[in-house]
Amino acid sequence: MSRLKTELLREYQDDPETNIQIYDPRNTQSVKMTFRGEKMAKILGTLATKKPAHDDHVSGILVKRGFKYHIMAPEDLTTYTGLSLSTISQRVAIPCATPAPAVMSSLFQLAGDLQDVRDGPRAGVRVFGVINVFFEGGMVILEWNSSPIHDVFADAIAALILHITAENIGFNVAKVPPRLNIDDEHVARCTRQTLTEAFGSNSVNQETKETIVLTINGEECTVNLRTMDVKCENEKVNQIVTGIVTKLKASMMPIDLVPRAEEVVEK
């Protein structure tokens, strides 16, 4: 009990707003403590300027001070606490004798569109919109701002480069895979073929360039081949068809961390 008392006093000794006195009981004396089952957090700063509606998600930093919890935006951290934010920049150099075109082709297979970047005299590409890749004298340099998600994608790129180096892909032109030409029309064709194979050619009632209408177990289901939206009054059939088209598109399209310009305009 003496150690518990010491730790509690140490917890509040630097808090000028708390005047606390703690009495430790005798040895072998029973002590009953009551704790609240739920924890409440107070929203501060810019996050509190707008009242959230039902089912809205609030994203911020959770700060614990004593037994109080506060949620605030990262930019408000220095205002309400003595803490500050910092960014960790990581740089990895990987020996690679594979020619740059072979590496670029493999990166395109992994991530889709690559963005050209320039850092002074250095020229390279940006993968996934967050990781810069440079080629310098037999080395492939990866540079990125560290975060749990960015680190995972950097590991994937590093594993890819090590793989193509070990397989000597760059020294055999026949092994270099061609660039994939994946567009909305290609996805639409594959979606038509997959739905026809899944439910039979007799299930297709109507088919246009942008939609396909199916009859599944007597239920009419419409699929928009551009947006992959599924409309069906039967909830079970709707879930089955939605799962097929969304998983098909996710398996065909490269991972994209940065939304396309037309998607931003639509939102």
Side-chain angles (χ1 to χ4, degrees):
M1 284 298 176
S2 297
R3 286 190 298 231
L4 177 60
K5 176 182 177 180
T6 303
E7 291 298 327
L8 290 174
L9 290 173
R10 186 180 302 169
E11 177 79 16
Y12 294 99
Q13 65 182 358
D14 297 330
D15 190 350
E17 299 180 358
T18 303
N19 183 16
I20 186 171
Q21 295 181 346
I22 301 176
Y23 301 92
D24 52 337
R26 297 177 180 178
N27 292 336
T28 71
Q29 183 176 348
S30 300
V31 177
K32 182 179 180 181
M33 297 182 180
T34 303
F35 298 93
R36 294 182 59 179
E38 60 181 12
K39 296 181 180 179
M40 305 292 291
K42 185 177 181 180
I43 300 178
L44 303 176
T46 56
L47 293 179
T49 57
K50 180 182 177 182
K51 183 179 179 180
H54 183 64
D55 289 337
D56 280 357
H57 294 276
V58 178
S59 178
I61 298 178
L62 179 64
V63 180
K64 178 186 177 184
R65 304 183 68 179
F67 292 99
K68 297 180 180 179
Y69 295 87
H70 297 135
I71 299 177
M72 62 193 71
E75 55 269 19
D76 294 330
L77 193 63
T78 55
T79 304
Y80 295 96
T81 68
L83 304 175
S84 61
L85 289 176
S86 59
T87 301
I88 300 176
S89 298
Q90 298 208 51
R91 186 175 187 270
V92 174
I94 304 174
C96 181
T98 305
V103 177
M104 297 274 286
S105 177
S106 298
L107 290 175
F108 182 84
Q109 298 290 324
L110 175 68
D113 293 336
L114 305 177
Q115 305 171 12
D116 294 330
V117 294
R118 180 170 290 277
D119 183 13
R122 300 189 305 168
V125 294
R126 180 167 295 164
V127 187
F128 298 122
V130 292
I131 301 174
N132 295 334
V133 180
F134 299 99
F135 302 91
E136 298 180 2
M139 305 286 288
V140 178
I141 311 298
L142 308 183
E143 296 179 355
W144 73 97
N145 291 332
S146 182
S147 75
I149 296 178
H150 297 175
D151 292 349
V152 170
F153 285 100
D155 290 341
I157 296 174
L160 174 66
I161 295 172
L162 293 173
H163 170 71
I164 63 178
T165 302
E167 296 293 332
N168 292 327
I169 292 178
F171 299 104
N172 188 346
V173 179
K175 289 186 178 181
V176 179
R179 287 195 169 192
L180 293 177
N181 184 20
I182 300 177
D183 52 16
D184 292 338
E185 292 185 3
H186 180 69
V187 175
R189 288 195 302 269
C190 294
T191 303
R192 289 191 186 95
Q193 182 179 356
T194 302
L195 292 175
T196 303
E197 292 177 354
F199 304 106
S201 57
N202 295 331
S203 63
V204 180
N205 291 342
Q206 183 180 354
E207 186 175 354
T208 64
K209 185 177 180 180
E210 293 190 354
T211 61
I212 181 172
V213 181
L214 307 170
T215 300
I216 305 171
N217 293 336
E219 300 290 341
E220 187 175 281
C221 181
T222 304
V223 180
N224 189 313
L225 299 176
R226 180 178 177 273
T227 62
M228 295 301 169
D229 291 335
V230 179
K231 293 182 179 180
C232 182
E233 295 182 357
N234 189 299
E235 183 178 354
K236 186 175 181 179
V237 175
N238 192 307
Q239 291 178 352
I240 294 174
V241 178
T242 300
I244 292 175
V245 297
T246 54
K247 290 179 181 178
L248 175 64
K249 185 175 181 180
S251 64
M252 295 179 61
M253 302 298 291
I255 301 172
D256 188 8
L257 294 181
V258 181
R260 292 179 295 179
E262 57 267 22
E263 294 178 352
V264 176
V265 172
E266 290 179 358
K267 291 181 180 179

